[in-house]
Amino acid sequence: MKPQSTPAPNYNGAVPNRIFMAWSSPQRTATLRTALMIAIIALCVRIFGALVLGEGAAFGPDGTGAQAAVFLGGHPYPLHIQMLKLFGADARALSMFCGSLNCVLLWHWGRRVGLGGAGGWLAATLPLSVFPGVLAAGDAPALTVLLLGVLMSTYGGFWPVLGGVTAALSVAVKPIALPALVLLVVHPMSLVGAAGGLLAMRQFIQPLWAPMAHGGILGSWWVSTGGLPPISWANWLGDGLSRLSGTALWGLIALVPLAALLGLMKAESKRLRLAALGPLIAAIVVAALFGDRLELRYLSAAFVVSLPFFGPLIKDSKMLFALTILGIWPTSAVLTQLAVERTSRDPQATVAAFPTVNWPQVNTTVLFDACSTDGATHLRNLAYQLAEMAPKGSTIITEARADGREGELFWPLQVLRPDLKVAVQ
């Protein structure tokens, strides 16, 4: 009589979850050890990034405003504010934690669907994964919520639908992670949950389905076509592809079409092959939407979720570790060059003198303008001084700055002295 054999795990969710409950203790220990190792490496890289960029005013899109909203309320993305409360209103600390956790979630998802864990390792050090994880912004936390939902969708029963709803919930943190929804294609029922979730939270994506023609990026995401959907969709997508091909070298966007090709060639199921195309299509759409206003940061979610499709190609652990370490090079180039820009334009910020990695070349002016403003730390320190000295009920007036960056003065001031009035001229 032949001994009964245990069926091999099917990472598409076909095998009941009791298989995973039956793991031997050494298997669980090895899995947890690897996950912890990825988390530690990812966190160390992000701590290094934070040290390079230095201390001062919150450095990141809407960092100061989001931190103030913890006390004042009124932020357009309430789930981000709730997450900030857990981290003492420190937006950068939240990003560092979430950015590291994202690598583990991506690693686990890749293993669950049969692609292996290469994506999580690569995400630990590559620039478009690390950079959002060192900013005072909602980018990394939004991707955490979405990837958690994607991972939940790989389990049986009601989990795919619940995972889809959870993934959709990321728009209440920040809609920038929406391109990562393409991973839900692997488990179609999760798309039902995501559609229902997005319908319930449609106010957070209103700039997409109900754009305001002259409302700026906050009013419309159809930036490249004057605030409204395009007339010629084919030309629009063609422009997006052209824009994608011209992105700066440090973003390594060329890896996205390569991942799509590898997924089509190496993935074992039709759903995975379809999902492999998702990040590329999402990146083209994002580039088409924003046109000249495209920032590489907007492509981060599509880039990160393309990485697991390198798994079938990179199976040797030594090669994978070497590629992970190699990813620190372009990341260091971005961070050290940006630190030099911050030293010049925000002199009151405390920026350590790390050696600068000069290649690949980075347009730090654009990055700095998206994350801060000239003399931002001076404005924050001025807010502290005014909070101590300004007469009760007085009005503080300053010049308007691009993208509402006068908030570097006004937001801390309103938290410390709600009685003061603020105005721009």
Side-chain angles (χ1 to χ4, degrees), residues 53 57-67 75 77 80-81 84 91-92 95 131-141 173-174 176 217-218 295 297-298 338 366-373 403-405 408 411:
L53 291 179
F59 193 79
D62 190 37
T64 301
Q67 291 178 166
H75 197 269
Y77 302 118
H80 184 206
I81 305 308
L84 273 173
R92 186 170 66 172
S95 290
F131 185 55
V134 295
L135 298 180
D139 303 31
V173 182
K174 197 173 185 179
I176 198 168
I217 290 182
L218 293 180
E295 298 178 24
R297 181 173 54 88
Y298 298 164
L338 184 56
V366 173
L367 291 181
F368 182 87
D369 288 340
C371 297
S372 190
T373 188
D403 301 320
R405 284 289 176 177
E408 300 293 343
W411 288 122

Side-chain angles (χ1 to χ4, degrees), residues 191-238:
L191 294 173
V192 176
L198 289 176
L199 184 62
M201 293 177 285
R202 59 189 179 277
Q203 71 270 26
F204 297 114
I205 56 173
Q206 188 170 340
L208 182 65
W209 60 267
M212 298 171 58
H214 303 289
I217 290 182
L218 293 180
S220 175
W221 297 341
W222 303 93
V223 177
S224 66
T225 50
L228 296 173
I231 297 174
S232 173
W233 290 90
N235 290 339
W236 181 75
L237 290 173

Side-chain angles (χ1 to χ4, degrees), residues 70-156:
V70 172
F71 307 97
L72 300 175
H75 197 269
Y77 302 118
L79 186 52
H80 184 206
I81 305 308
Q82 294 305 313
M83 296 174 76
L84 273 173
K85 289 180 179 179
L86 300 176
F87 283 79
D90 189 333
R92 186 170 66 172
L94 174 62
S95 290
M96 292 166 65
F97 172 81
C98 289
S100 304
L101 179 58
N102 291 344
C103 302
V104 178
L105 294 173
L106 202 66
W107 169 80
H108 193 28
W109 179 84
R111 295 174 73 250
R112 289 281 296 165
V113 300
L115 292 172
W121 283 100
L122 296 174
T125 60
L126 288 177
L128 276 184
S129 175
V130 174
F131 185 55
V134 295
L135 298 180
D139 303 31
L143 188 57
T144 299
V145 175
L146 198 148
L147 288 178
L148 178 61
V150 167
L151 181 59
M152 290 165 59
S153 73
T154 65
Y155 293 88

